[in-house]
């Protein structure tokens, strides 16, 4: 049985002060939930604030991105060592907004995943198709390419440390999630690719999150699906009330 994993992706939201206020409200709401892994991914500037605040709680710290070199002349970038130092155990890699707005290729995603693992970080690897790719019937090709190239050269032990987030791009930030069966089909297809790459035993241990307009009202139907082990939550993770409800509903399922 895979333990459910819910991760917040705050994107470019919340100053340190706002993050602090969020946690004061949010942490007591989930303090008695022990059967769900919960991660928060604040912007870089608030990592340290969140890290200090969650120290005594079982919430995990996750960065939204990082560079694929440990250090160097890369103005404006942040390295795996830097996010690790402030307490990150997880890092989101290859989010569709990084791919689209910052030209991240599958090769770059692969470099980031490998350096994250080499430095003891657990990558949450995002994959997913655009509306246009879906309409052209190319969803499986896109997911195959993203997993094949993105996870290239990982050994089985490393593969066990990753989480994959299947996020159909047309469902991100739209308020319209994928239907439970479409979400399941995407996640199941991703697992079949993981099985081809790493074998059955490993693919069965890797957690696959669904992402794209998860809200309290659709959490149960989405997370009840086979092969969906949790969620990557954007806008609904910005409010203590909605994010804690998603976690509570997930806990009731397990
Ligand atoms: P959303 O974002 O929940 O606002 O759709 C999800 C994501 O981009 O990870």
């Amino acid at each position: 049985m895979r333990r459910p994993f819910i991760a917040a992706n705050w994107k470019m939201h919340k100053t340190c002060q706002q993050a602090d206020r969020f946690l004061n409200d949010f942490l007591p709401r989930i303090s008695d939930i022990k059967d769900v892994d919960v991660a928060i991914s604040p912007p870089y500037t608030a990592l340290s604030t969140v890290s200090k605040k969650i120290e005594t709680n079982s919430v995990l710290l996750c960065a939204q991105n990082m560079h694929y070199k440990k250090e160097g002349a890369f103005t404006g970038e942040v390295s795996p060592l830097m996010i690790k130092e402030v307490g990150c155990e997880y890092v989101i890699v290859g989010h569709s907004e990084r791919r689209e707005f910052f030209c991240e290729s599958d090769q770059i995603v692969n470099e980031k995943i490998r350096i994250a693992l080499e430095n003891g970080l657990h990558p949450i690897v995002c994959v997913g198709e655009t509306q246009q790719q879906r309409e052209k019937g190319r969803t499986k090709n896109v997911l195959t390419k993203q997993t094949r190239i993105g996870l290239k050269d990982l050994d089985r032990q490393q593969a066990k440390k990753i989480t994959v987030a299947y996020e159909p791009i047309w469902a991100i930030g739209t308020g319209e999630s994928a239907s439970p069966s479409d979400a399941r089909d995407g996640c199941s297809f991703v697992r079949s690719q993981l099985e081809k790459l790493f074998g059955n035993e490993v693919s069965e241990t890797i957690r696959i999150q669904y992402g794209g307009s998860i809200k309290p009202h659709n959490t149960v139907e989405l997370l009840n699906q086979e092969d969906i082990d949790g969620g990557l939550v954007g806008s609904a993770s910005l409010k203590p009330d909605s994010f804690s409800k998603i976690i509570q509903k997930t806990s009731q399922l397990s």
Side-chain angles (χ1 to χ4, degrees), residues 7-9 11 92 95-97 126 165 167 171-176 210-215 232-237:
N9 177 11
K11 308 191 181 184
I92 299 173
H95 189 279
S96 61
E97 287 149 17
C126 300
E167 299 203 298
I172 294 178
T174 58
E176 287 292 324
Y210 163 77
S213 300
I214 298 184
K215 310 284 174 199
L232 185 55
V233 187
S235 51
S237 73

